[in-house]
Amino acid sequence: MSSPAAPDADPQDRSAAGPAASASSEGDVSTGRAPNSRVTTNRVTAFLRSPAGNAAVLGTCGSILMTFGSFGAGSVRRKDPLLEEMFLSWLRFGHGQLLSVIILWVGVLIMIGAWVRVGRATLAGTVGLRDLWTMLPAWTAPLLVATPMFSRDAYSYLAQGAMLRAGFDPYTDGPVVNPGVLLDNVSNVWTTTTTPYGPVHLLLGSGITALTGDNVVSGTWLWRITMLPGLFLMAWAVPKLARRMGGNPAIALWLAVLNPLVLIHLVGGVHNELLMVGLMTAGIVLVLQGRHMGGIALVSLGAAIKATAGLALPFLIWVWMIHERDRALAEGREPAAPVRSFFKAVGAGFAVFVAVFGGASLLAGVGIGWLTALSGSSKIINWLSVPTVIAHVGTWITPWRLGSILDITRMLCALALVAILAWAWWRFRRTERDAVLGIVVALTAVTLLSPAALPWYYSWPLAVAAAFALSTRSLMILVGLSTWLMLIFNPDGSIGMYNLAHVALAVVAAVIAARSLTTRDPLRLGSRPKPAHDTAAPGKPAHDTALPDKPAQAVRED
């Protein structure tokens, strides 16, 4: 249990410095150093010397390797003046490119290994929230200067922003109408596709290209910096959400934020999901805390970047109604009739949404054409969405071609999705926990049943689902899935799912990562059992000991 005087503190963090912290609690009169400074120094030093601290340093090394490898093996620009000025253009061709590919993949595997090792220590109780918050900037900082990896979406963002800046409507035309350097870097499949993103996304893109012009390097870097607040919002919101949902805040932060799927794809890949998910999770927390209008405004702002965040809004109406009922009962009043309470919450929530979304649309000078532009994702065909999987299987057992079957499976899955969303909204309405669980169901259903999916889409439900108390077996499954999703695309953004060897290697790595969460030697390569170096605290399991299949206890705010 947390101390009443510091409800947000993690007990593991308070004891991380050990006896040294107690000895220096009154400060050092002879040196004049502040007591907190000495305690912090001792705690950080002790942490870096621990196995978990070694894993944190290892993850940073992996991030640095990925950044260097991205210059030649990432989603490189058609022409990169920065590499030319640094005499590193050779990394993009021949043996230089092969070396870049090797370095980048080694960095990815190192970060995954470090993340799993940190997760094992977090499950054992020897790593707390402060330790994880310390790792986050260290693992993220090198990625800020990397060439986009595993996706070319950043170049589409720049081209879309340049369209709005030049007076075109991105909801009616594709980037092809505005030729130039920025268009040259957009994937061919998206040059004629209208923008599926909201008005805030377009405003950000227009502002960035107004500052950077046609400089692809500085434009990409500024887009990444603009998205970065989403990571900090997630790091703030996810542990708080876990406390409300009965989960373990440290495990939630490790799973949803330090996950390589999030850091490499959303930060390294420069995706607007980072800011969208951050705003959505922070808005959910504010609504749970009773700041309903502020929370609805944040979620609406996230939806104005990418529509997915709007899935949370109908469920947050239930939370608002629950709070109004509970407040009336606490004050000895008769709660309002459910229908009246519903329309009151819906009316106020809708007014906030219209103010945020409508205001952004007016500023951008666009309408609601993004609704029809959402169909552009149908150009994506891979095994990550259920309708595509069913269609591929259909081609094996019928004489029909993929395209004709895909039209049918997508239509059927769309109908199923509408039914599931309606059922989930009505089913998960009775408690706060129900409502948040309903958001997880809705986000998961959209990810699986939409016409197309990409690896980073799975960060949507993961950010909310991590807040719940998860068994060790469930965490192992999520670790394996995150690892597989992280590895299934190529660094240049191409799909690796149709290469059998690539898929097989990704599956093997995912299984090893999942098993490594509970044991240090998942392949049993050791000739004999070795004593655990990752020593756990007294009364807690060692890191290489199989952990029980039950959820970890949460650290509650109350």
Side-chain angles (χ1 to χ4, degrees):
M1 294 295 290
S2 58
S3 169
D8 287 334
D10 189 336
Q12 297 159 3
D13 295 327
R14 290 195 295 270
S15 61
S22 300
S24 61
S25 59
E26 296 181 1
D28 190 337
V29 178
S30 61
T31 62
R33 294 178 61 188
N36 287 341
S37 174
R38 184 171 180 179
V39 170
T40 301
T41 301
N42 291 340
R43 188 186 67 82
V44 172
T45 301
F47 172 71
L48 290 176
R49 291 176 177 175
S50 69
N54 293 338
V57 173
L58 192 64
T60 304
C61 292
S63 182
I64 293 172
L65 288 175
M66 280 186 287
T67 296
F68 185 78
S70 73
F71 297 146
S75 303
V76 296
R77 299 138 185 137
R78 304 285 187 242
K79 182 179 180 181
D80 197 323
L82 180 61
L83 288 186
E84 293 176 1
E85 292 176 3
M86 297 173 63
F87 303 103
L88 292 175
S89 291
W90 60 273
L91 291 171
R92 304 174 59 192
F93 309 101
H95 292 89
Q97 186 183 40
L98 177 60
L99 178 64
S100 298
V101 170
I102 293 172
I103 291 174
L104 194 151
W105 277 122
V106 168
V108 170
L109 294 175
I110 286 176
M111 178 174 276
I112 291 174
W115 174 64
V116 173
R117 187 176 179 185
V118 170
R120 194 167 64 236
T122 306
L123 282 171
T126 57
V127 168
L129 279 175
R130 292 182 183 176
D131 298 323
L132 297 173
W133 279 324
T134 301
M135 294 180 204
L136 183 59
W139 288 13
T140 304
L143 297 175
L144 297 180
V145 296
T147 297
M149 296 178 281
F150 298 95
S151 170
R152 303 188 69 85
D153 281 3
Y155 306 129
S156 294
Y157 296 170
L158 289 172
Q160 292 157 2
M163 286 179 63
L164 186 66
R165 182 196 65 190
F168 295 99
D169 187 349
Y171 293 153
T172 59
D173 299 301
V176 71
V177 301
N178 188 34
V181 175
L182 298 181
L183 177 64
D184 294 342
N185 291 281
V186 178
S187 297
N188 293 332
V189 69
W190 302 125
T191 56
T192 58
T193 304
T194 54
T195 303
Y197 307 122
V200 170
H201 168 89
L202 293 177
L203 285 171
L204 292 174
S206 178
I208 288 171
T209 54
L211 291 173
T212 61
D214 290 339
N215 191 315
V216 183
V217 176
S218 59
T220 303
W221 178 80
L222 192 53
W223 252 115
R224 185 179 274 132
I225 296 299
T226 304
M227 296 295 103
L228 196 58
L231 188 68
F232 299 136
L233 286 173
M234 290 175 64
W236 172 81
V238 168
K240 291 183 177 296
L241 187 58
R243 290 186 177 100
R244 302 285 298 213
M245 296 298 108
N248 184 307
I251 291 175
L253 182 65
W254 162 78
L255 179 63
V257 183
L258 274 87
N259 194 321
L261 178 67
V262 173
L263 295 183
I264 300 175
H265 270 306
L266 299 192
V267 179
V270 196
H271 289 291
N272 57 14
E273 270 89 355
L274 185 60
L275 187 55
M276 182 269 286
V277 173
L279 289 167
M280 180 183 69
T281 52
I284 292 172
V285 169
L286 288 185
V287 172
L288 291 172
Q289 293 177 343
R291 292 179 279 183
H292 306 117
M293 298 188 71
I296 295 292
L298 281 186
V299 177
S300 300
L301 193 60
I305 294 173
K306 193 163 186 174
T308 310
L311 291 169
L313 292 173
F315 295 92
L316 296 179
I317 295 299
W318 296 133
V319 177
W320 198 336
M321 292 174 60
I322 292 167
H323 289 175
E324 291 293 328
R325 181 199 63 195
D326 291 347
R327 185 172 64 178
L329 293 174
E331 295 174 353
R333 296 184 288 107
E334 181 70 21
V339 173
R340 180 181 178 184
S341 178
F342 174 78
F343 281 106
K344 179 182 177 181
V346 168
F350 184 72
V352 173
F353 175 80
V354 169
V356 172
F357 206 100
S361 298
L362 288 175
L363 286 174
V366 296
I368 57 173
W370 58 272
L371 287 172
T372 56
L374 291 174
S375 61
S377 62
S378 61
K379 295 181 179 181
I380 303 173
I381 299 177
N382 61 46
W383 288 77
L384 293 180
S385 67
V386 171
T388 306
V389 171
I390 298 174
H392 273 296
V393 173
T395 61
W396 302 343
I397 59 178
T398 70
W400 299 340
R401 300 178 68 86
L402 178 64
S404 57
I405 301 179
L406 197 57
D407 291 337
I408 298 173
T409 57
R410 283 177 170 175
M411 179 188 66
L412 294 176
C413 287
L415 294 175
L417 177 59
V418 171
I420 290 173
L421 292 178
W423 167 82
W425 179 68
W426 185 252
R427 164 64 178 79
F428 298 102
R429 70 185 191 280
R430 301 189 183 281
T431 65
E432 285 184 352
R433 191 178 187 279
D434 276 352
V436 176
L437 185 58
I439 294 173
V440 175
V441 172
L443 292 172
T444 304
V446 167
T447 303
L448 293 174
L449 297 176
S450 290
L454 292 165
W456 48 93
Y457 287 12
Y458 287 79
S459 65
W460 308 342
L462 182 64
V464 185
F468 290 86
L470 301 172
S471 68
T472 303
R473 187 179 303 276
S474 297
L475 290 172
M476 291 176 66
I477 292 173
L478 291 175
V479 165
L481 178 62
S482 297
T483 300
W484 186 81
L485 289 169
M486 180 60 252
L487 298 177
I488 205 59
F489 266 41
N490 293 309
D492 63 357
S494 60
I495 301 173
M497 300 183 69
Y498 294 96
N499 183 320
L500 185 59
H502 190 145
V503 173
L505 289 173
V507 169
V508 170
V511 171
I512 293 174
R515 289 181 56 84
S516 296
L517 188 63
T518 57
T519 176
R520 294 180 56 205
D521 188 12
L523 300 179
R524 299 182 180 179
L525 299 177
S527 57
R528 60 179 180 176
K530 296 180 179 181
H533 295 290
D534 297 345
T535 306
K540 296 182 179 179
H543 293 182
D544 56 351
T545 303
L547 295 169
D549 186 22
K550 63 180 182 180
Q553 294 297 317
V555 181
R556 298 183 179 275
E557 288 182 309
D558 53 357

